[in-house]
Amino acid sequence: MKTLVPAVAVWGRTAPSHSITAVMITDDQQTIVTGSQEGQICLWDLSSDLQILCKEVLFGHTASVTCLAKARE
């Protein structure tokens, strides 16, 4: 039996301008990191009232970003 999971829009009225291919959230749950098909990595601030705002866009990859991992200290 298939379970249907409804889609949830978390970006508000304006979606990101890139095609998201990977998502990661930081341990403090205040930053979302997305990788894109266009080779960008974006950092998003996540406020306590679930507002998501673009903080940084990193360019330079020549291929799609399909995986994200956090570094250890």
Side-chain angles (χ1 to χ4, degrees), residues 13 32 34:
R13 295 176 187 236
I32 296 173
T34 59

Side-chain angles (χ1 to χ4, degrees), residues 10 16-17 25 27 31 34 41-42 48 62:
V10 296
S17 60
I25 190 163
D27 290 335
T31 304
T34 59
I41 295 175
C42 298
S48 59
T62 57

Side-chain angles (χ1 to χ4, degrees), residues 48-60:
S48 59
D49 61 346
L50 300 180
Q51 294 289 326
I52 299 175
L53 303 168
C54 184
K55 181 168 53 171
E56 301 278 339
V57 179
L58 309 172
F59 298 91

Side-chain angles (χ1 to χ4, degrees), residues 15-55:
S17 60
H18 61 276
S19 302
I20 294 175
T21 53
V23 177
M24 183 184 76
I25 190 163
T26 58
D27 290 335
D28 63 6
Q29 298 181 355
Q30 294 182 359
T31 304
I32 296 173
V33 183
T34 59
S36 74
Q37 187 174 5
E38 295 80 12
Q40 302 165 350
I41 295 175
C42 298
L43 305 177
W44 305 84
D45 276 334
L46 178 60
S47 67
S48 59
D49 61 346
L50 300 180
Q51 294 289 326
I52 299 175
L53 303 168
C54 184
K55 181 168 53 171

